[in-house]
Amino acid sequence: MGTAPSKAAITYLRVSTADQATRGGREEGFSIPAQREANTRKATSLDALVIEEFVDAGESGTSAAKRPELQRMLSYVREYHVDYCIVHKLDRLARSRADDVAIHFALKQAGVTLVSTSENIDETPSGMLMHGIMSSIAEFYSRNLANEVTKGLVQKASVGGTVSRAPLGYRNIHVNDALGRVNRTVEIDTERAHLITWAFFRYSEGDPTLRTLLDELTARGLTTRATPKWPSKPLTITGLHKLLRNPYYKGEIRYRDITYPGLHEPLVDPQTWQQVQDLLSAHNTAGTHQRTNNHYLRGSVFCGSCGSRLMITTARNRWGTEYLYLVCSGRARRVTDCQRQAMSAEMVEEIIEDEYRTIALSPALRDSIEELVLEDFDTLQAGSATERKQMDNQRIELTAQRQKLLDAHYAGAIPLDLLKIEQDRIAGQIARIEDQFASLDANFEQARAVLADTLDLTRDCHTAYLEANDSTRRLFNQAFFARIYIDEDDETREQTVRVDYNEPFDTLLSRLIPASVHRTLDIKNTAYREIPTGGSSVASSGIAEVQGSHTDTLVGAKGLEPPTSAV
């Protein structure tokens, strides 16, 4: 009967990917059991008993801090007596020279000797030299491998391939071509794809919030895909937001901040996808999160006294009737000394409606703007001739490739399956070029139509704003105004509007008469007197007869600058 081992040992096992950890359908794959067996034999040869095992399955060796079992092992050796730490190879412990030095130092401080079953390392000078060389080789291999993998992924993305785990609604699959080569591609997940498509179209309607959309999707049965570590479960708000922002669903691949046309089948058309992005951005721009009772002024109005954002609150009377109020967030959170009291949301809505009376362009100015912009459109359209030529050359080249494939197939050099795959690829690229040809003219024509509609809209923004629904009113306010300040007279408590315009409206509309002045002007019933020196007629209040850019003269004789003598 042999004697009991006299030394205590621990072992550390690691594989880099989850695929390695579960390969062959086994719980630990193949590599981890092989490492365990080699480490156990090494412990026996050292007359040591393995008292603890640490396994990082599917963890990269490039960062020690991100490996939980490695960190637990370093804590373990500080608390318990251990003679040996056994690894299969040094690169299982670290692929970074800096991490290798830090881990080796921690083990040495705890009195633990590092042992490799595959490399001859010890505390002798030659052993330390070997350790340093092997560690440097591991780091070089890791960095070189990362560069090669990155180059491969960039190449795959550039031709439209999926370089990562397929998003929800798709599945990663392996397909063998006619030559027996494995092609990693994606296919539509029939269990979830139709729900993803429905989610985009439902949100593009503008009515649901992210929360209500998530509830509807969950009720319809949408869940995440199960993994070896986690079961399937309903999406979260964050997950749904990322899903709606992902351009993959409209047929594009985004890798390293560059977007490429994808080879996969899209689940939503580009127009609907963009409409969803506009709706999501509209809420983000206003600094709001979607809520069930999300007022269209939320995030756009500010306190005129302290500049803090105004919050929407609800009050209920004894009969259960609810009233909306605007409250200064600076006062509510006690971050300013503002004394502004709550304001009726209905009153604020009315004075903002009045502000839109000021946003109007005279017919002459409207036509001048349209003429200038259309000249730019003509220049841009003429400049697209180069782009057309490039696309035409690409189409000719693809057509020639298709003919070469047919000739090779007829000669028996290419099997039918491979011919079909290549023909589908070429047909898809030609179809995209044809769509781009069609969209070049369509985009310019659409832009001309949008310009005309927009300029027509500025003739009477007030009427358009009154007829708009809440979602459109929100977009109106965010388009025209950077901030809407609500001022209040200290004596009369009358509320007025003061705005900061967004560009280009800041330049275009900066000289318009404020709505508060419009309300004081009663042009029909006001007696005017003629200025003896000649100039615009002036009401008894001293305000020139102007209404923004409805008339050509925006300021009177005294204008915005001091008068100068005529020479």
Side-chain angles (χ1 to χ4, degrees):
M1 184 174 180
T3 59
S6 59
K7 303 290 186 180
I10 59 174
T11 67
Y12 178 75
L13 319 174
R14 183 184 68 82
V15 290
S16 300
T17 66
D19 180 62
Q20 289 175 305
T22 58
R23 187 165 293 170
R26 300 161 63 94
E27 185 177 351
E28 293 185 318
F30 298 110
S31 180
I32 288 178
Q35 292 180 48
R36 179 183 294 118
E37 182 179 352
N39 290 357
T40 302
R41 287 199 304 268
K42 188 66 174 181
T44 302
S45 69
L46 294 173
D47 192 27
L49 175 67
V50 177
I51 60 174
E52 189 66 44
E53 180 182 86
F54 303 89
V55 182
D56 275 318
E59 300 290 345
S60 172
T62 57
S63 176
K66 296 181 180 179
R67 286 181 275 162
E69 284 295 281
L70 175 62
Q71 297 303 317
R72 189 170 74 88
M73 183 188 78
L74 296 178
S75 298
Y76 184 91
V77 298
R78 287 193 292 267
E79 297 181 17
Y80 302 98
H81 171 73
V82 176
D83 295 296
Y84 301 109
C85 173
I86 304 175
V87 295
H88 182 240
K89 294 179 66 176
L90 288 177
D91 63 6
R92 298 301 86 195
L93 195 63
R95 285 193 182 274
S96 162
R97 183 61 179 145
D99 284 344
D100 178 76
V101 171
I103 295 169
H104 192 203
F105 179 77
L107 293 175
K108 192 172 181 180
Q109 286 289 98
V112 180
T113 301
L114 179 62
V115 176
S116 169
T117 64
S118 303
E119 295 122 351
N120 184 24
I121 61 171
D122 52 34
E123 298 300 323
T124 64
S126 59
M128 295 298 294
L129 176 61
M130 177 62 70
H131 184 170
I133 292 173
M134 297 307 298
S135 177
S136 297
I137 290 174
E139 181 172 13
F140 168 78
Y141 174 81
S142 177
R143 292 189 177 186
N144 185 64
L145 179 63
N147 289 336
E148 293 301 318
V149 169
T150 298
K151 285 195 297 185
L153 292 178
V154 169
Q155 177 63 26
K156 184 175 182 179
S158 66
V159 297
T162 301
V163 298
S164 60
R165 187 170 186 246
L168 204 63
Y170 296 88
R171 295 189 306 169
N172 296 92
I173 59 172
H174 293 177
V175 178
N176 293 331
D177 63 16
L179 301 179
R181 295 171 299 191
V182 177
N183 178 29
R184 296 184 178 182
T185 183
V186 299
E187 67 177 8
I188 289 180
D189 182 355
T190 56
E191 180 182 349
R192 298 177 174 85
H194 67 285
L195 294 175
I196 303 297
T197 302
W198 178 86
F200 275 95
F201 281 98
R202 179 72 178 95
Y203 192 80
S204 68
E205 296 173 358
D207 298 328
T209 65
L210 283 177
R211 169 53 63 185
T212 55
L213 179 62
L214 178 61
D215 291 341
E216 292 177 11
L217 285 171
T218 302
R220 289 170 177 260
L222 181 63
T223 61
T224 62
R225 290 189 298 262
T227 67
K229 288 186 177 181
W230 307 103
S232 61
K233 60 182 180 180
L235 270 66
T236 62
I237 286 287
T238 301
L240 178 58
H241 185 269
K242 289 181 179 179
L243 185 151
L244 294 175
R245 285 291 194 186
N246 194 344
Y248 192 93
Y249 293 107
K250 65 170 179 174
E252 294 181 351
I253 302 292
R254 181 182 294 165
Y255 182 65
R256 297 174 72 88
D257 297 327
I258 300 177
T259 300
Y260 306 93
L263 297 177
H264 60 281
E265 182 179 347
L267 295 184
V268 64
D269 61 275
Q271 293 77 19
T272 302
W273 186 88
Q274 187 57 51
Q275 189 173 356
V276 169
Q277 307 317 299
D278 293 340
L279 290 169
L280 291 172
S281 298
H283 294 282
N284 291 338
T285 300
T288 66
H289 299 285
Q290 285 189 304
R291 296 179 174 88
T292 303
N293 184 20
N294 191 16
H295 196 278
Y296 67 89
L297 289 180
R298 187 187 298 274
S300 297
V301 287
F302 294 79
C303 175
S305 299
C306 69
S308 300
R309 197 184 300 274
L310 294 179
M311 304 186 303
I312 306 290
T313 62
T314 304
R316 191 191 305 267
N317 64 14
R318 69 177 69 179
W319 296 282
T321 304
E322 288 189 347
Y323 298 92
L324 293 179
Y325 288 91
L326 290 169
V327 177
C328 174
S329 61
R331 178 179 180 179
R333 296 168 181 167
R334 298 181 180 179
V335 296
T336 68
D337 57 358
C338 183
Q339 299 300 313
R340 175 69 66 85
Q341 296 183 0
M343 296 166 280
S344 166
E346 182 178 1
M347 180 64 69
V348 173
E349 290 173 2
E350 291 177 0
I351 62 177
I352 291 178
E353 290 171 1
D354 284 346
E355 184 66 24
Y356 276 91
R357 296 179 187 274
T358 71
I359 303 176
L361 300 177
S362 65
L365 182 56
R366 181 254 183 231
D367 293 342
S368 297
I369 293 174
E370 183 176 32
E371 182 179 353
L372 290 173
V373 176
L374 288 179
E375 287 179 0
D376 288 339
F377 280 176
D378 292 338
T379 302
L380 290 173
Q381 192 166 11
S384 66
T386 301
E387 184 179 358
R388 290 172 176 272
K389 185 176 181 180
Q390 291 175 347
M391 289 192 299
D392 192 47
N393 290 338
Q394 291 177 5
R395 182 170 55 183
I396 294 172
E397 182 180 351
L398 288 170
T399 303
Q401 288 181 16
R402 181 159 54 186
Q403 185 59 47
K404 288 180 180 179
L405 283 171
L406 284 173
D407 293 342
H409 174 65
Y410 294 148
I414 296 179
L416 181 61
D417 291 344
L418 181 58
L419 174 66
K420 184 178 184 306
I421 293 174
E422 289 299 306
Q423 289 285 52
D424 289 344
R425 175 185 65 82
I426 293 175
Q429 292 181 339
I430 292 178
R432 281 195 291 271
I433 291 176
E434 297 289 354
D435 290 341
Q436 289 175 347
F437 265 117
S439 66
L440 277 176
D441 288 331
N443 286 342
F444 281 110
E445 293 305 318
Q446 183 180 12
R448 293 173 190 271
V450 170
L451 173 65
D453 292 342
T454 302
L455 291 175
D456 289 340
L457 185 63
T458 59
R459 288 179 172 177
D460 193 359
C461 279
H462 180 246
T463 300
Y465 188 77
L466 291 180
E467 294 176 353
N469 58 28
D470 287 356
S471 297
T472 305
R473 284 193 173 196
R474 179 194 297 277
L475 296 175
F476 259 92
N477 292 330
Q478 292 171 2
F480 281 107
F481 308 123
R483 289 192 171 199
I484 304 174
Y485 294 99
I486 308 300
D487 294 319
E488 187 175 78
D489 187 275
D490 293 336
E491 296 181 0
T492 64
R493 315 281 304 186
E494 181 183 3
Q495 294 158 2
T496 56
V497 171
R498 173 168 48 91
V499 298
D500 289 341
Y501 287 106
N502 286 318
E503 287 291 354
F505 301 107
D506 184 34
T507 302
L508 185 63
L509 307 176
S510 60
R511 296 187 297 168
L512 297 183
I513 301 299
S516 58
V517 176
H518 277 272
R519 287 195 295 272
T520 64
L521 291 176
D522 187 356
I523 298 176
K524 293 183 179 180
N525 300 321
T526 303
Y528 291 92
R529 58 182 176 82
E530 292 297 328
I531 300 178
T533 58
S536 62
S537 59
V538 178
S540 59
S541 62
I543 300 175
E545 182 188 3
V546 292
Q547 261 188 301
S549 56
H550 282 296
T551 58
D552 296 331
T553 304
L554 296 184
V555 293
K558 295 186 178 180
L560 300 176
E561 299 179 359
T564 58
S565 59
V567 179

